[in-house]
Amino acid sequence: SPSPSPSPTMTVFAMIVRQLESSIAVPESEPPLRRLGAAGTLKNLLMAVEEAEDAPSWILDLFLADHEILRTVLKSISGASPLVQPEALVRQAVAEALYFLTQSKRGRDALWQCDGPEAMRKGYELEVHPGVCNAMEMFAQEILKHSEIESALANSNTVSDVSGDKCCRAA
């Protein structure tokens, strides 16, 4: 029996990521405008999730359904690909898309699971384009801010006894 075909929306994400992936494997394989368009589309989709009051969670659901998609996107800014100057706008759009992903807890959790902060750190060490660096810094600030907040919330329910030797969960 034939295998079921993927959903049209999942195919769109796969196509976007395939365009980005082609810039990693063989930078000359696709016209730069096509890669820039794919990166811009990804950024716009994730920005729509972040901006909408009634966020279209199905976009986030589809994007996060397969962590390989996220890993491929991270690879495009991790320093794994050659840092060709014309591709700076592609890397900037990808870094901005990942910044928008940090706006949701599910997005941050997925980024941590895929070593997103480490990929971004490695890419930042090699990056020279100011726009890309700025987007990476915004990403890092959000990750750090939410890590501190989530850590503080987790610890706010923990209290020490008088001696400070034991900890227990507050009721």
Side-chain angles (χ1 to χ4, degrees):
S1 72
S3 62
S5 60
S7 72
T9 49
M10 191 57 141
T11 303
V12 168
F13 273 106
M15 288 173 14
I16 291 169
V17 170
R18 195 172 313 128
Q19 294 300 318
L20 292 173
E21 195 169 35
S22 71
S23 70
I24 296 167
V26 186
E28 299 81 31
S29 66
E30 294 291 332
L33 266 174
R34 185 175 290 175
R35 285 192 298 270
L36 183 57
T41 299
L42 180 64
K43 173 185 158 185
N44 289 339
L45 286 169
L46 294 177
M47 183 171 47
V49 170
E50 188 266 338
E51 285 183 344
E53 206 47 47
D54 55 343
S57 63
W58 62 269
I59 294 174
L60 194 57
D61 293 342
L62 287 174
F63 185 72
L64 297 177
D66 182 1
H67 280 190
E68 279 311 304
I69 290 174
L70 181 54
R71 284 185 185 94
T72 300
V73 171
L74 286 163
K75 189 188 279 187
S76 69
I77 52 88
S78 69
S81 62
L83 300 177
V84 181
Q85 192 58 28
E87 298 298 324
L89 293 177
V90 172
R91 292 192 313 278
Q92 182 175 340
V94 169
E96 290 169 346
L98 292 169
Y99 161 75
F100 289 121
L101 194 55
T102 67
Q103 302 302 300
S104 76
K105 179 161 177 23
R106 288 180 47 223
R108 289 188 303 277
D109 289 347
L111 284 162
W112 279 108
Q113 290 171 4
C114 295
D115 294 324
E118 179 63 13
M120 192 68 80
R121 184 193 62 78
K122 287 179 180 178
Y124 186 79
E125 288 175 355
L126 301 171
E127 189 58 63
V128 295
H129 187 271
V132 181
C133 289
N134 185 50
M136 290 176 154
E137 290 165 4
M138 290 176 11
F139 171 96
Q141 287 172 352
E142 284 299 308
I143 289 290
L144 289 172
K145 177 176 83 175
H146 288 285
S147 295
E148 291 171 4
I149 291 169
E150 289 161 9
S151 175
L153 288 174
N155 291 331
S156 68
N157 290 332
T158 304
V159 293
S160 297
D161 69 358
V162 176
S163 68
D165 293 333
K166 289 185 186 176
C167 289
C168 58
R169 292 305 241 171

